[in-house]
Amino acid sequence: MHAHKENHDFEPKIIAFVCTWCTYAGADLAGTSRMQYPANTRVVKFPCTGRIDPVFILRAFQKGADGVLVSGCHPGDCHYMAGNFHARRRFAAFRALLDFIGVDLQRLQFSWVSAAEGGKWVEVATELTERVRALGPMREFKELEAEEQWSGVIDTPELQEAYNNIP
Amino acid sequence: MSRIGVFVCHCGENISRTVDVEKVAAEAARIPGVAYATDYKYMCSDPGQGLLKKAVAEHKLDGIVVAACSPRMHEKTFRNAAKSAGLNPFLCEMANIREHCSWVHEDREEATEKASAIVEMMVARVKKDRKLVPITVPVTKRALVIGGGIAGIQAALDIADAGHRVVLVEREPSIGGHMAQLSETFPTLDCSQCIMTPKMVDVANHPNITLHTYSEIEAVEGYIGNFQITVRKKARSVIEEKCTGCGVCSAKCPQKKIPNTFDKNLGFRPAIYVPFPQAVPNTPVIDREHCTRFINGKCGVCQKVCGPGAIDYEQEDRLIVEPVGAIVVATGFELYSISEKPKGSPIKGYGEFGHGTIPDVIDGLTFERLASASGPTGGKIIRPSDGKEPKQVVFVQCVGSRAREKGISYCSKICCMYTAKHTMLYKHKVHDGQAYVFFMDARTPGKSYDEFWRRAIEEEEAVYIRGMVSRLYQKGDKVVVMGSDVHVGVQVEIEADLVVLATAVQPRAGADTLAQKLGISYDSYHFYSEAHAKLKPVECATAGIYLAGACQGPKDIPDTVSQASAAAAKVMTLFARDELEREPIVAKVNERNCVACLYCKKVCPYGAVEEKEIRDRQGNLIRVVAYVNPGVCGGCGTCQASCPSKSVELDGYTDEQIMAMIETL
Amino acid sequence: MTNSAQTIDPALYAAVTDAVRAEARKVLESGAVAAVVGWQAGRRAGTAMPTIVTDPAKAADLIFSPACVNNLALYLTKAKKEVRGKGKIAIVAKGCDLKALVGLMGENQLKREELHIIGVVCAGVQGAAADRSLPLSEATIAGKCRECTVHTPENTDVTVGTLTELPHFTPTESAELARLEAMTPAERWSFWKEHFSRCIRCYACRQVCPFCYCEQCLCDRNRPQAVETTPRPAGNMAWHIVRAMHLAGRCAGCAECERACPMDIPLNLLNRKMARELKELYGHEAGFKPKEKGPLAEYREDDDQSFIK
Amino acid sequence: MPKTITEQNLRLLIDTLVKEGTRVVGPRAAGTMTLYEPLATGEELHLGELPRRSAKEAFFPLCETILTYEKDKEGVKVSDIDPARFPETVLIGARPCDVAAAPVLDAVFSWDFKDEFFLERRRKTTIIGLACTKADDACFCTAVGLSPSDTKGSDLFLTPLKDGGYRCDVVTEKGEALLSAHAGLFADGTGEPLPLAEPTLGKLDLEKIRNWLDSHFEDPLWEEIAQRCAGCGACAFLCPACHCFDIVDEGGEQKGARRKSWDACGFGKFTGHASGHNPRDVQPQRYRNRIMHKFKYYHDKFGQRLCTGCGRCIRACPVGIDIAAVLEEINNK
């Protein structure tokens, strides 16, 4: 039962945007069932996947997420009837856009996890964590964040150091 | 700068076993804006809440983060505590470091680090929390009960007796449900019909109950206190107001050979029929699928013989809209069928039991109809194939139930008891007969239950064989039962005259569709989910909707009635108030910025968005903006995610709150 | 419709110009409209600019030429309240511009009956770097016009001009789209990174877009700040992603954003990509008839969810 | 004594400067256009066309950080950017219409508050101007009193010669210093210059224009021109003389940076007040301010005008607004 902590060179930051009715409850169920999964995921609770703005995904990557999980109720199970249907289209479009921009979609996972699917939550969170761990850090947005227009660049060792510190 | 208080709960050892709670509190204290941070054994306890209230006053806190269990568990508790400390309850947030952390991680260092990160995230959020004032909405003191079995009947009667109007909707032509089909009931062996029918009549006669039988729920809109339901009243082809229930139509109907489903197809009924003699209402219905008139237009006898002229072949389904304030869902169960299941169904049939093709292999409910005094045989136990009295009956328990390989892993709870009852009923009627029961183990917790089961063995001479049945097959006029007796460790073969299978209790087909209409959640078997397994066993997570009976999970009659009364009590609690406070998690439009593209209106699942005209003092139209009706808004926030300029914002889940959380990554 | 001549006959535009002037004069004189939104010649040879004519005598200033690149639908949006305030408006519209008008109608921004649409048959307009002294040809025609399917606008109040045979033009936008799609994500990232890093956040792309009529752009908001406003590479990337997403399912492909960009960022590639995705996924095409709901405001229960676990 | 420098030595000069650690900014091919950008080698110098963006970037960056902050339990820690860290820069190959704007801008950045961000960069920048030999129909430097060979603002000034290479004139001491430090790359003498560019627009009476502006704050002209203005910042951002900037804090509550970046008077929110009031709430008012600022207010205060006739705003304007046409119209009134 006692899983030994493995030492990895890189522990990814995973942020999960979940709806309160299904996936959040599913994650709770994983807890009450004492299932085990990697500790990398940070959950942000929304009322519904319908509330999840693509900007949040973008922002998460910009702010240092190495992987993003978006999860809600199965089609037809939405507490608000149709929020997840709207979300499904929105995210289908957004992921196509991110792909076209050049973001590796392996870092962005969408799933339906119901309140009864504690096991599926564990599976989804574990899979994404392990996949992103294998991919390594999401360098693109972090590097971009450290870049300046040439005219604004100054000779600051701190900035250079910050840039070098991007894993 | 904010003055946030952070309270880290040990939850006994539930959290502190894997999370270094003191460290989490110490880390929290270092976050700018945190004025106070501490840890405590049980934050939800009275002293724990007292600690919180005291800290609010002493440290002039303007926001609170309780790092403990899931907000689904105790958010209300702590928000109430915050409120009584004089803080707006919406300035209190929970950091879920139990279900999402201590219970799912074993490494102490990792779990502690994660707990601190979760706390930091929630501190960031609470800084952006706004004071919200609950919205008051009127309560429509009228309840909808879905399902007219014993659960629905009990709930409807209780609510109606309390003086509130009830709309009871039943899918079948009569109320009564499964209990009306039963013979005697355990553990007292009183006649089911005898205790059931008076209640059915009470429903029919109750001035506060509007009964819609042969009806289904078409649509549900609205929210707690203010639902709007649409009932599809299926065409009965009989005008209820005119029908006197004389029964001439059924007697004269030339079409008489339709299998009687109420009797589990053991007998026949005409095309115009009442399901059983004690039906409520005692109004027949025309089975259009089998009626000659509807098949080829060549009959019309019932119309001719009906004195009051109640037969209406042209009748159409009617949609009735009813406002209700609360909903009790009591849609009951159905039995697992051993027949071959359609492809893709997670439930599997029993090929080894002949897939339901052996006529003398029946299920428990069929046995009930055989044993019932009002059943097709008048209570005489005979076998379906040749009408002979069976001398050796084998009962098999756990068919489908507790059989993961058959698609169901739960226990159906009632089978041990009803099988014991069946052996007794059998013995009472066939004195020289022998009952055998194959069982895995006997589950008889309940008042007088174990005594009852012992009686079946000790006094009524039922032979209980612990073991599983591997195969059933027809041999001559016998059914050979092959099984094992694990106590003795031998294979057993019994040549039975009749085999009764205690098949699993399952939710009604279509339970998922109804749940989707209601917006309630259900488990993988489609049993409806209660809000909390222990503390909210009657409530759905969706406010204003309550559960009663086997639709939530297998239950016997006493449990079902208890839960139905509990659901009724919840409804009455709700109806005790004229107005209801609801969470102010609703969308608001920033009218300055709104350009009325109305994307919000297009995506709103509630139809809560309207167009609003802004006029100057002279009454000239300046512009049109969107307006969200807070009473109708369900709070999903789909509007905000769709609004290009974010001119509509969901209170409690603002962009500022979310972005602040993301910022802490 | 191809011919052997490799250039487009300027006579087509001259004829349209005459007809536009006559129609504008007519509707202004009769009082049917308060203003006509059209194009007039610029100071420099071979240039044109949008104009709003209220005086019938000034109708003669109106022109139609390959320099009439602007999508005039811009002037009917809430971003341009001054124009709408004048009363009923006539607008000169190319097929591509008309698609934006149709989209605006679907978004509750315009009512068909409040417009008098003078459709112009258009064989194409100049590309950004074109030598203005030359007639339209493979070398000078704008990218979007090479793949135009709406030379003749429909559902107008009046449509002027006659389409002649057109030379065959090599599609450049779709070829570029295909080239990008064939790249690896990392290659695409560096492609866009280079372009976006050059962005100076002048917002010409936003300001000329008929669909960017928000009173307050999300990207100008600072509480919370969804997108950094300074022209650093990080904020630029975010801005262009958000812009493309906000236009998805709405953009009708007029390519004004790309034309207006002083830094030559191929913005219409993003719009085209999103349009194509939404067409493939949901069968949606913007700008042909006013729709109550765009592809991202509606759904089907059986929408594709192969990307969802 | 006049000097000359060969094409090859000019590039060698760049290489040498870069090696010495100087930032050399000059026209460089960038995708579909030419931009003033730091040159890694002399080879990168691309003098064929006028860069799309003006040279002001060399001392007035598109975006620069002016301080960073970090919040902790103890309070807010603010770190100022030290202008001493700005790089020594040589701006090379800049057109007279770009270079002439620099001294104009000095006035506004040093009259009251001394903007060290601008001034320190200016002090550290040596400008090698280049006479202009190619004009297009948007160019109008001569109409606003400049010429394609104007040395205003330059420290050294190059004039392309018919036989290749450049004549190099010393304009300032700073230029002299640069030249003497690399004297070996220059030769004595001169040559026949290439013909200068000839913008077509006739000379404008700028004093007359200023007088007209003085008395025409309210005039139908503003609406007539600017009702088509889309409200973008392309004109201001490409202009060598526009110098409005915005200061914003970016980052989170915990840490972030205060940044200064270009702003444009055409933006709707440019004059927006926190109250929501906007004194210039329609585009014609914004365009009027643009013209007034360039040809009246700035002149009233500093005796100079904020336009060098480079024509960038004309080329870039998405809706065809042509400042030369506007000036011409006022001139002809």
Side-chain angles (χ1 to χ4, degrees):
Chain A
M1 242 336 250
H2 290 278
H4 286 285
K5 186 193 169 189
E6 280 180 62
N7 282 316
H8 301 281
D9 293 341
F10 163 63
E11 283 300 343
K13 281 185 184 174
I14 310 283
I15 192 161
F17 298 131
V18 309
C19 84
T20 190
W21 300 95
C22 290
T23 305
Y24 195 91
D28 274 0
L29 179 62
T32 46
S33 315
R34 307 298 197 279
M35 295 166 174
Q36 299 289 306
Y37 57 95
N40 306 58
T41 307
R42 306 283 177 266
V43 172
V44 179
K45 181 166 71 97
F46 290 84
C48 178
T49 42
R51 170 68 188 87
I52 303 173
D53 195 316
V55 168
F56 299 148
I57 300 175
L58 173 64
R59 199 73 182 161
F61 280 129
Q62 280 191 288
K63 293 292 163 185
D66 300 298
V68 177
L69 171 63
V70 180
S71 184
C73 306
H74 286 270
D77 291 0
C78 178
H79 179 78
Y80 307 97
M81 283 95 79
N84 57 353
F85 286 131
H86 286 295
R88 185 168 60 184
R89 282 203 170 193
R90 195 187 297 147
F91 296 134
F94 189 60
R95 70 190 280 290
L97 174 59
L98 284 186
D99 180 47
F100 191 62
I101 292 288
V103 174
D104 187 344
L105 290 184
Q106 291 190 84
R107 297 182 182 276
L108 178 57
Q109 178 72 56
F110 298 90
S111 65
W112 304 135
V113 173
S114 80
E117 294 175 322
K120 186 171 176 190
W121 165 256
V122 168
E123 190 188 312
V124 169
T126 308
E127 254 183 43
L128 181 62
T129 305
E130 280 170 4
R131 191 166 69 225
V132 172
R133 190 184 280 136
L135 287 172
M138 173 64 151
R139 293 184 60 94
E140 287 85 346
F141 283 101
K142 293 188 189 92
E143 283 179 357
L144 216 51
E145 184 56 45
E147 275 180 32
E148 299 284 345
Q149 297 274 5
W150 68 263
S151 54
V153 173
I154 43 168
D155 161 34
T156 51
E158 302 97 283
L159 282 180
Q160 190 57 44
E161 197 193 321
Y163 196 86
N164 293 341
N165 278 343
I166 298 170
Chain B
M1 207 189 281
S2 324
R3 299 189 60 81
I4 311 292
V6 177
F7 302 86
V8 186
C9 181
H10 301 205
C11 194
E13 282 197 324
N14 279 300
I15 293 170
S16 56
R17 194 180 297 127
T18 33
V19 170
D20 182 344
V21 285
E22 283 162 32
K23 191 174 174 198
V24 172
E27 289 281 323
R30 296 165 52 87
I31 303 171
V34 171
Y36 179 72
T38 190
D39 60 283
Y40 188 71
K41 193 110 182 150
Y42 287 108
M43 275 312 296
C44 61
S45 69
D46 204 38
Q49 292 188 45
L51 181 80
L52 184 147
K53 289 177 206 168
K54 203 171 126 219
V56 171
E58 274 179 13
H59 299 275
K60 298 187 176 61
L61 302 180
D62 59 9
I64 284 174
V65 172
V66 182
C69 52
S70 169
R72 288 160 29 92
M73 180 88 190
H74 270 315
E75 187 176 76
K76 230 183 198 140
T77 310
F78 293 114
R79 285 192 169 169
N80 282 338
K83 193 178 169 189
S84 65
L87 208 60
N88 184 291
F90 294 90
L91 302 179
C92 170
E93 300 281 357
M94 289 193 73
N96 184 345
I97 60 166
R98 192 180 74 174
E99 282 84 345
H100 289 188
C101 189
S102 72
W103 278 350
V104 288
H105 308 308
E106 283 178 341
D107 184 85
R108 191 168 173 81
E109 200 182 313
E110 273 183 0
T112 304
E113 198 181 309
K114 178 172 174 181
S116 283
I118 296 174
V119 169
E120 193 189 348
M121 212 174 212
M122 295 318 289
V123 168
R125 185 186 212 279
V126 85
K127 283 182 192 167
K128 304 291 177 192
D129 280 0
R130 294 181 202 156
K131 292 178 186 172
L132 300 179
V133 182
I135 296 167
T136 52
V137 285
V139 176
T140 307
K141 297 186 182 183
R142 207 176 141 83
L144 165 70
V145 176
I146 307 172
I150 183 59
I153 287 172
Q154 184 66 42
L157 284 173
D158 284 356
I159 299 167
D161 285 346
H164 303 296
R165 306 275 309 166
V166 177
V167 179
L168 178 60
V169 176
E170 166 60 46
R171 176 153 66 175
E172 298 299 323
S174 169
I175 56 169
H178 280 116
M179 192 171 161
Q181 289 175 288
L182 306 183
S183 53
E184 275 83 33
T185 54
F186 61 81
T188 47
L189 290 189
D190 41 2
C191 145
S192 185
Q193 290 272 1
C194 311
I195 54 175
M196 183 66 177
T197 41
K199 279 189 178 286
M200 290 162 63
V201 174
D202 284 352
V203 166
N205 295 337
H206 207 297
N208 281 344
I209 299 180
T210 309
L211 180 60
H212 295 300
T213 54
Y214 207 46
S215 300
E216 288 187 53
I217 301 299
E218 182 80 5
V220 180
E221 283 166 19
Y223 52 93
I224 183 170
N226 298 276
F227 293 105
Q228 182 112 324
I229 55 143
T230 309
V231 176
R232 175 175 291 273
K233 224 170 150 64
K234 288 180 280 187
R236 208 177 183 106
S237 315
V238 175
I239 301 162
E240 281 174 274
E241 296 74 26
K242 288 189 181 171
C243 174
T244 60
C246 68
V248 174
C249 52
S250 300
K252 298 285 184 193
C253 178
Q255 178 59 276
K256 290 211 168 7
K257 284 286 174 193
I258 302 164
N260 187 335
T261 43
F262 183 81
D263 285 337
K264 298 288 288 178
N265 301 343
L266 289 171
F268 298 100
R269 61 158 170 80
I272 183 165
Y273 70 104
V274 288
F276 52 102
Q278 304 80 1
V280 170
N282 186 23
T283 311
V285 55
I286 295 181
D287 173 359
R288 290 185 173 185
E289 206 186 317
H290 294 101
C291 171
T292 317
R293 169 85 191 188
F294 284 93
I295 294 169
N296 55 24
K298 285 194 183 133
C299 189
V301 172
C302 51
Q303 199 169 45
K304 280 190 204 110
V305 300
C306 181
I311 309 295
D312 177 5
Y313 298 127
E314 309 301 319
Q315 205 176 53
E316 286 178 0
D317 289 8
R318 271 190 303 148
L319 293 179
I320 298 165
V321 178
E322 301 260 17
V324 297
I327 299 175
V328 176
V329 190
T331 49
F333 71 99
E334 64 187 33
L335 287 182
Y336 183 97
S337 158
I338 63 167
S339 330
E340 204 158 358
K341 294 290 172 180
K343 258 197 179 143
S345 166
I347 309 295
K348 296 177 184 69
Y350 274 83
E352 58 274 43
F353 289 4
H355 271 322
T357 56
I358 309 171
D360 293 327
V361 176
I362 62 172
D363 65 14
L365 206 50
T366 314
F367 189 83
E368 294 283 349
R369 293 313 296 149
L370 282 175
S372 172
S374 59
T377 61
K380 195 170 154 48
I381 309 271
I382 52 173
R383 54 184 215 168
S385 61
D386 52 11
K388 281 188 195 154
E389 193 175 64
K391 296 297 178 192
Q392 291 219 77
V393 181
V394 172
F395 293 88
V396 183
Q397 289 189 197
C398 292
V399 178
S401 312
R402 305 171 71 197
R404 218 166 302 164
E405 65 285 358
K406 294 297 181 189
I408 291 179
S409 44
Y410 58 85
C411 164
S412 292
K413 195 172 178 181
I414 60 171
C415 327
C416 287
M417 287 302 292
Y418 80 62
T419 302
K421 178 190 78 181
H422 285 173
T423 65
M424 288 188 200
L425 295 179
Y426 173 62
K427 192 70 181 172
H428 295 174
K429 298 196 180 206
V430 185
H431 301 303
D432 58 343
Q434 180 60 53
Y436 299 91
V437 182
F438 281 90
F439 77 121
M440 290 212 264
D441 41 10
R443 299 188 163 183
T444 56
K447 194 173 171 182
S448 309
Y449 280 17
D450 202 58
E451 296 92 315
F452 183 79
W453 176 64
R454 301 292 328 168
R455 204 173 101 204
I457 300 170
E458 291 159 8
E459 296 173 25
E460 314 278 2
E461 296 169 342
V463 173
Y464 268 70
I465 303 164
R466 190 184 292 268
M468 296 295 294
V469 171
S470 58
R471 201 177 153 215
L472 298 177
Y473 64 94
Q474 188 86 50
K475 184 179 166 195
D477 66 344
K478 301 279 186 191
V479 181
V480 179
V481 181
M482 297 174 71
S484 54
D485 182 335
V486 297
H487 274 171
V488 190
V490 294
Q491 287 302 112
V492 188
E493 228 182 86
I494 300 171
E495 295 201 343
D497 298 312
L498 181 67
V499 176
V500 183
L501 306 177
T503 51
V505 170
Q506 280 185 279
R508 279 282 192 187
D512 52 342
T513 318
L514 179 64
Q516 289 166 6
K517 285 178 186 165
L518 290 163
I520 61 175
S521 47
Y522 48 88
D523 68 15
S524 54
Y525 302 107
H526 298 177
F527 283 119
Y528 297 143
S529 306
E530 61 284 349
H532 188 280
K534 280 148 279 180
L535 302 178
K536 287 185 176 179
V538 178
E539 296 97 321
C540 282
T542 307
I545 303 185
Y546 308 95
L547 301 174
C551 61
Q552 182 227 4
K555 272 182 202 66
D556 58 19
I557 295 166
D559 280 2
T560 296
V561 172
S562 306
Q563 198 190 15
S565 287
K570 289 286 172 190
V571 172
M572 288 180 246
T573 311
L574 175 64
F575 287 179
R577 311 175 59 175
D578 296 323
E579 279 189 329
L580 184 71
E581 281 197 348
R582 59 181 290 251
E583 276 220 321
I585 307 300
V586 291
K588 287 200 186 99
V589 173
N590 176 343
E591 294 181 354
R592 246 185 91 89
N593 289 345
C594 175
V595 281
C597 67
L598 301 179
Y599 261 76
C600 47
K601 188 180 176 182
K602 292 171 192 173
V603 299
C604 178
Y606 295 90
V609 184
E610 302 155 21
E611 284 166 66
K612 176 177 163 186
E613 293 181 342
I614 295 183
R615 295 179 178 275
D616 63 13
R617 281 178 209 167
Q618 284 74 44
N620 302 314
L621 179 67
I622 300 175
R623 54 204 195 96
V624 176
V625 295
Y627 168 75
V628 180
N629 181 338
V632 185
C633 172
C636 64
T638 306
C639 52
Q640 187 174 358
S642 304
C643 176
S645 61
K646 306 302 153 202
S647 299
V648 58
E649 192 151 63
L650 182 68
D651 273 338
Y653 291 93
T654 62
D655 278 359
E656 249 193 316
Q657 289 169 307
I658 306 299
M659 297 282 203
M661 290 173 85
I662 296 172
E663 203 77 49
T664 64
L665 265 174
Chain C
M1 267 192 293
T2 56
N3 68 4
S4 51
Q6 289 310 297
T7 59
I8 293 171
D9 185 358
L12 186 150
Y13 297 88
V16 170
T17 298
D18 290 342
V20 165
R21 285 173 183 170
E23 178 67 14
R25 194 178 309 111
K26 191 181 89 185
V27 290
L28 284 171
E29 273 172 354
S30 72
V33 301
V36 178
V37 182
W39 299 275
Q40 71 175 57
R43 172 183 67 95
R44 297 180 297 154
T47 62
M49 60 181 169
T51 190
I52 296 146
V53 178
T54 49
D55 178 358
K58 291 264 177 82
D61 289 350
L62 293 168
I63 62 159
F64 185 59
S65 75
C68 297
V69 288
N70 300 77
N71 183 347
L72 302 176
L74 172 71
Y75 294 97
L76 300 185
T77 65
K78 284 188 179 134
K80 285 279 167 194
K81 294 181 200 67
E82 310 90 277
V83 182
R84 290 290 298 284
K86 292 181 197 295
K88 183 165 175 171
I89 307 287
I91 181 167
V92 188
K94 307 185 289 284
C96 47
D97 307 340
L98 191 68
K99 288 208 236 173
L101 291 174
V102 167
L104 289 170
M105 287 173 205
E107 293 189 6
N108 204 34
Q109 302 300 308
L110 288 178
K111 290 197 174 76
R112 180 65 183 86
E113 60 274 19
E114 288 173 2
L115 293 182
H116 181 81
I117 302 176
I118 306 172
V120 291
V121 167
C122 174
V125 295
Q126 285 160 356
D131 182 338
R132 295 191 306 266
S133 63
L134 299 174
L136 281 188
S137 69
E138 181 79 27
T140 56
I141 196 165
K144 67 170 176 179
C145 304
R146 294 165 181 270
E147 292 164 70
C148 177
T149 57
V150 285
H151 293 290
T152 306
E154 281 171 22
N155 301 318
T156 58
D157 291 283
V158 54
T159 300
V160 299
T162 319
L163 198 61
T164 52
E165 269 186 82
L166 297 178
H168 173 77
F169 296 114
T170 325
T172 47
E173 279 189 346
S174 52
E176 185 65 356
L177 192 58
R179 187 177 77 87
L180 252 82
E181 284 174 334
M183 289 179 180
T184 64
E187 287 167 341
R188 277 197 294 272
W189 177 267
S190 59
F191 173 88
W192 288 113
K193 184 180 149 177
E194 192 188 336
H195 274 296
F196 293 155
S197 296
R198 218 169 269 154
C199 170
I200 51 176
R201 300 296 270 283
C202 69
Y203 293 119
C205 48
R206 177 179 78 188
Q207 297 304 114
V208 298
C209 176
F211 291 98
C212 280
Y213 55 79
C214 285
E215 184 72 31
Q216 160 92 50
C217 177
L218 169 73
C219 300
D220 282 341
R221 263 202 343 174
N222 55 8
R223 286 192 63 187
Q225 189 171 63
V227 170
E228 294 85 350
T229 52
T230 56
R232 298 170 72 243
N236 292 353
M237 174 68 78
W239 155 245
H240 288 289
I241 290 176
V242 171
R243 197 193 74 88
M245 189 61 200
H246 277 196
L247 290 172
R250 307 165 68 207
C251 170
C254 71
E256 279 286 87
C257 48
E258 181 170 321
R259 179 190 68 81
C261 179
M263 291 295 115
D264 295 353
I265 304 172
L267 293 169
N268 201 40
L269 271 180
L270 289 166
N271 300 335
R272 276 194 70 141
K273 169 69 181 173
M274 293 313 286
R276 212 185 56 200
E277 286 291 326
L278 291 169
K279 187 179 175 188
E280 278 173 14
L281 283 165
Y282 312 120
H284 171 84
E285 272 188 281
F288 289 101
K289 57 172 191 245
K291 282 182 187 159
E292 198 205 335
K293 292 182 173 184
L296 296 185
E298 62 181 2
Y299 64 86
R300 284 170 52 114
E301 292 191 3
D302 60 351
D303 279 337
D304 172 62
Q305 55 172 22
S306 53
F307 66 96
I308 304 174
K309 194 177 159 70
Chain D
M1 192 197 296
K3 298 269 182 190
T4 60
I5 184 166
T6 62
E7 183 77 33
Q8 196 185 357
N9 278 2
L10 186 67
R11 293 177 194 273
L12 201 56
L13 173 66
I14 294 168
D15 289 339
T16 313
L17 289 166
V18 169
K19 269 192 208 113
E20 288 167 3
T22 305
R23 183 176 74 164
V24 181
V25 176
R28 184 173 169 273
T32 49
M33 67 194 92
T34 304
L35 289 172
Y36 287 109
E37 281 181 347
L39 305 173
T41 67
E43 276 310 303
E44 287 186 348
L45 187 70
H46 186 76
L47 294 173
E49 61 172 6
L50 185 70
R52 190 71 61 89
R53 266 139 70 170
S54 85
K56 70 180 173 188
E57 242 174 312
F59 36 82
F60 178 52
L62 176 49
C63 175
E64 63 182 318
T65 302
I66 53 181
L67 62 82
T68 58
Y69 63 88
E70 203 165 349
K71 211 154 112 182
D72 63 17
K73 198 73 189 167
E74 278 66 51
V76 185
K77 203 169 69 200
V78 175
S79 318
D80 284 312
I81 299 296
D82 180 4
R85 283 193 174 143
F86 295 159
E88 287 286 345
T89 300
V90 169
L91 172 61
I92 193 164
R95 299 298 197 281
C97 56
D98 274 331
V99 182
V104 177
L105 294 184
D106 289 344
V108 70
F109 283 110
S110 61
W111 69 283
D112 177 3
F113 176 77
K114 307 273 183 270
D115 185 332
E116 280 307 309
F117 286 88
F118 179 89
L119 296 174
E120 179 65 9
R121 279 203 167 85
R122 276 284 283 141
R123 277 192 285 273
K124 284 185 164 165
T125 305
T126 307
I127 301 177
I128 306 176
L130 172 70
C132 182
T133 54
K134 200 171 118 192
D136 69 6
D137 58 1
C139 289
F140 64 105
C141 63
T142 45
V144 290
L146 217 64
S147 87
S149 59
D150 207 312
T151 62
K152 181 181 175 184
S154 291
D155 297 301
L156 289 173
F157 194 79
L158 303 174
T159 307
L161 299 174
K162 263 195 176 149
D163 300 326
Y166 304 86
R167 190 182 75 211
C168 180
D169 294 297
V170 173
V171 187
T172 66
E173 282 174 20
K174 217 186 207 177
E176 174 70 51
L178 178 69
L179 190 143
S180 29
H182 301 88
L185 296 170
F186 295 83
D188 289 343
T190 183
E192 193 187 340
L194 277 174
L196 292 174
E198 290 177 20
T200 49
L201 192 71
K203 201 162 168 56
L204 297 165
D205 183 346
L206 295 175
E207 205 41 40
K208 182 184 170 190
I209 289 170
R210 190 175 72 91
N211 288 335
W212 187 88
L213 292 175
D214 233 347
S215 55
H216 291 84
F217 189 77
E218 301 294 348
D219 193 274
L221 180 73
W222 305 122
E223 159 101 22
E224 190 189 306
I225 300 162
Q227 61 185 356
R228 62 177 62 87
C229 176
C232 76
C235 48
F237 286 4
L238 267 48
C239 175
C242 275
H243 53 269
C244 286
F245 58 83
D246 191 15
I247 292 179
V248 293
D249 288 352
E250 291 184 326
E253 202 163 282
Q254 293 327 327
K255 63 175 190 179
R258 178 160 297 170
R259 297 195 173 104
K260 173 177 156 190
S261 63
W262 293 353
D263 205 346
C265 54
F267 288 157
K269 309 274 177 204
F270 183 74
T271 46
H273 293 186
S275 65
H277 173 63
N278 192 342
R280 292 184 211 139
D281 66 349
V282 291
Q283 215 55 39
Q285 295 172 353
R286 298 175 194 132
Y287 191 76
R288 173 181 64 200
N289 189 71
R290 180 171 177 76
I291 299 297
M292 288 280 184
H293 189 205
K294 286 190 175 300
F295 296 97
K296 181 182 141 45
Y297 305 148
Y298 201 85
H299 189 269
D300 289 351
K301 192 158 188 71
F302 301 115
Q304 304 191 70
R305 292 179 178 86
L306 290 170
C307 176
T308 60
C310 72
R312 285 190 178 90
C313 57
I314 301 173
R315 291 178 206 103
C317 181
V319 295
I321 295 176
D322 182 338
I323 198 172
V326 175
L327 294 174
E328 213 177 13
E329 185 172 345
I330 297 173
N331 197 52
N332 293 340
K333 274 181 192 283

